[in-house]
Amino acid sequence: PQVRVIHAADAPPVDVYLNNQPFAEGVEFRQATAYEPLAAGEYGVTVFPAGADPATESPAILGDLAVADGDVISVVALGADGVFQIANLEETRLPPGDREGRVTVLNGLPEEGAVDLVDPGLASVEDDSRVLINNIGFGERVESLVVEEADAVSWDVVPHDDLAADPVTSFD
């Protein structure tokens, strides 16, 4: 198995422990570590503010991780404003086809509730056909999207079932 950490929680840098052993230290917000080999098994995940002493301080996030032979997993710390959790994303390391890319979508916005991923280039469409992914709850992920090579891809994240709302965030 291979495991990496992604810090997607709106919080200062963190140290991540697996079964009380350091796994990743000083991981900055919006940073991903390299994949590291890990023995198959069950692990307790604890996330502390960087530099905290696990012997005397409480973790900011607790979670579990189960890995089997051949797994490739991203352990994602996500959340904001005191609402934090761990999401374990099974990844595929298979390369996409020629002239394609792969994107995994995870809702890490606790204050927004469920969201939709939409194509803003189809703004003149009045029905929901511009919704690429519908109703993604906080902490939920969707299967990876494979996108064809293009000059540019733009996506908006809007509150679920509210195509008229201003985007919560956008990706280009």
Side-chain angles (χ1 to χ4, degrees):
Q2 295 184 333
V3 174
R4 71 175 173 172
V5 171
I6 300 174
H7 183 355
D10 189 6
V14 296
D15 295 338
V16 178
Y17 290 72
L18 299 180
N19 288 351
N20 300 316
Q21 298 298 311
F23 182 77
E25 296 178 312
V27 183
E28 300 276 343
F29 179 50
R30 296 184 176 155
Q31 180 184 13
T33 66
Y35 286 100
E36 298 291 337
L38 189 68
E42 304 275 329
Y43 294 87
V45 180
T46 50
V47 179
F48 292 89
D53 181 355
T56 60
E57 297 185 44
S58 298
I61 310 173
L62 293 169
D64 294 306
L65 172 65
V67 293
D69 289 335
D71 282 352
V72 178
I73 296 179
S74 293
V75 175
V76 184
L78 54 106
D81 299 326
V83 179
F84 299 107
Q85 72 180 46
I86 295 288
N88 298 320
L89 305 180
E90 290 187 41
E91 303 279 357
T92 179
R93 298 281 306 264
L94 298 174
D98 289 342
R99 306 172 74 85
E100 292 180 332
R102 182 176 290 114
V103 177
T104 299
V105 178
L106 168 75
N107 178 358
L109 305 166
E111 67 279 2
E112 298 303 329
V115 295
D116 297 336
L117 183 71
V118 300
D119 181 344
L122 299 175
S124 62
V125 176
E126 294 186 17
D127 62 21
D128 64 359
S129 65
R130 69 186 191 127
V131 177
L132 303 171
I133 304 172
N134 186 40
N135 196 20
I136 311 164
F138 171 63
E140 293 179 1
R141 74 173 286 251
V142 296
E143 293 302 315
S144 296
L145 298 173
V146 175
V147 293
E148 300 286 329
E149 179 183 50
D151 291 333
V153 175
S154 296
W155 293 325
D156 286 343
V157 175
V158 298
H160 174 58
D161 280 343
D162 192 355
L163 293 175
D166 288 335
V168 172
T169 191
S170 298
F171 301 95
D172 291 315

